Amino acid sequence: MSAVFEQIFQVGFLAAIIRIATPLAFATLGEMFSERAGVLNLGIEGIMLLSAMTGFTAASLSGSLWLGVLAAVLTGMLMGALHALFTVVLGLSQHVCGIGVTLFSSGLAYFLYRLIFGQQSVPPNIKGFQTLPIPILSDIPVLGPAVFNQFALVYMAILAIPVAAFVLYRTPWGLSVRMVGENPRAADSAGVSVIATRFQAVILGGALMGLAGAFLSMAQFNAFTFGVVSGRGWVAIALVVFGRWDPWRSAGAALLFAFVDALQLRMQASGLGHIPYEAFLMLPFIFTIVAMAVMSRNAVAPSALLKPFRREER
Amino acid sequence: MFRLEVRSSTPTWFNFALPLLAIGATLILCSGLIALAGAGVLEAYGVMFTASLGDSYAITETMVRATPMIFTGLAVAVAFRAKFWNIGAEGQLLAGAVASCFVGAIPMPGPLAMVLMAVAGAAAGAAVALVPATLRVKFKVDDVVSSLLLNSVIYYALMALIEGPWKDSFSGYPISPPIEDSANFPVLLEGTRLHLGVVAALIAAPLIWFLIVRTTLGFRIRVTGENPEAARYGGIHVERVLISTALLSGALAGLAGVSEVGGVHFQVMSDISPGYGYSGIVVAMLARLNPLGVVPAAIFLAAVMTGAEAMSRATGVPAFLSDVIQGTALLAMLVALLFTAYRIRRVGVAR
């Protein structure tokens, strides 16, 4: 048993957790901004997939990974704008629109990918992001190689957490976002444009979801496959609830999920008994459902979540 | 000047006009992608139509394809009526397929096997749907997220079965052993694949319509969805209604799996459903959650799917166009539904 234990908790384990947590952190922060403004974005799964595709394609055609990241972010913003158009401007059902955006984006991602790359027996890949050790910091024992010898996008995700917290809690725009998510009527009376603020928050959220997609296809897998996202978007929605709509807690939730995921990967590799590997693949999803069951009773969602705002309806 | 005005009632012809409007808009929007792929738009849509609805054999194939989506469409329509956001029809379908395949592999008289397959499949689907419903009622867990996450759990469970203990020892592929020949659903038309499940789906639709529109349970489901506070005030046990809705919805989705196992595949494999559970959402919305509308909506999506494959072979446009069409149709339908809530009024400009 101790041999298995050692194999699981070796030095690379911490690094793996950070890597797995990165796309989840981006996605979770993105969904959090959207929901704090009162808009549930179930389009996240499809937005991540389409961004992963456009990012990969742009990087592969241009040879520049950062151009790929830019393409992924712009894709995320565009799809965020689409979701905002339907849910914020037209006030349509956030649940069904989100599913619609996911179906549409996924379909478009598959269609365009097949159109551009054709049907190849071996999926094309790119030379993805390489690790970028930070001088001095990466020499710290244990923590150094795990946290400070990572992809540039990982550092961006780590920085994104305090930035998101600062924007949400310390800036006038963040205050507007929280107001339109809690009490749009009051925000409107105070001269805050509910529609514009929600629109901006959903687009910002889309940009972060785009970064999540970019990480998957350009740092983690270095290829676009149809299973590149495989439920991570849905998990992010659960993590927002688990993180109680707070940037720090949400990022913590992403880290916790990544821990479970890294653990199941290690357990798979160590060939623990005769348990089928699918049982381990299930584990993070079951963990998320159970975590939601534990947390949801006391979770307080933004009051105006799911409620469209129309000025004339008083 | 034009102004949006709240509409209190909608004429009946809207039920037909809005889906057609949405489908028309979808086909126009998606023609851009066909052009992008370098094919003629009319030619591509022409091939799609001929291959899916052009002759009697094509029509039977489209009906076979539509059958699981009629079931999942009904499942979603029933659930959404109560505002139970069941996005888990995909997992419920898989559970139904596994359960019915398990029963169908036991030697017994054919008709008995078919009945037991349906019962087992419906029960399995209902059991899966019970999870998000219970989590919502007891723990306030968002049903969308839990039912979505559960789809992945069920999928991996199915994979574990067919790659592990249930793997067909004869073929060596990750597929389940086939059901008994006597349990195969009878083909109703010689030379086609039109099976008993197709008829069952066509019968289920009016039955569910009757249940929703004419029975007490249906009334409770509708009131719970439209106004849970009023429902509670009126003495309806909202939680119990949600659980009943989930059981009904899950059972219907489970039957989609039964029909695929009994009538089409005769065994279970990993790709037994190319997303029929998610397509059910599109079907239900196109049908405006009306069980009778589910049938034409499912036939439309089935025609798009069968047609897209033929179109891909003939013109080189990727068959994934059908996925884009599904997503676009759902969004277009949502926009079209605005016409039920609002009307555009010409307002006289003050002189």
Side-chain angles (χ1 to χ4, degrees), chain A residues 86 95 226 234 277-278 310, chain B residues 85 144 148 156 163 335 342:
Chain A
F86 287 129
H95 280 126
F226 292 170
W234 309 134
Y277 72 93
E278 291 93 350
R310 279 193 199 89
Chain B
W85 300 106
V144 176
L148 271 169
Y156 289 130
E163 285 191 350
V335 175
Y342 298 95

Side-chain angles (χ1 to χ4, degrees), chain B residues 44-63 299-300 302-304 306-308 310:
Chain B
Y45 282 143
V47 173
M48 271 176 92
F49 183 81
T50 323
S52 58
L53 300 166
D55 57 76
S56 54
Y57 178 74
I59 292 175
T60 63
E61 277 298 290
T62 300
M63 286 309 296
I299 294 173
F300 164 70
V304 167
T306 24

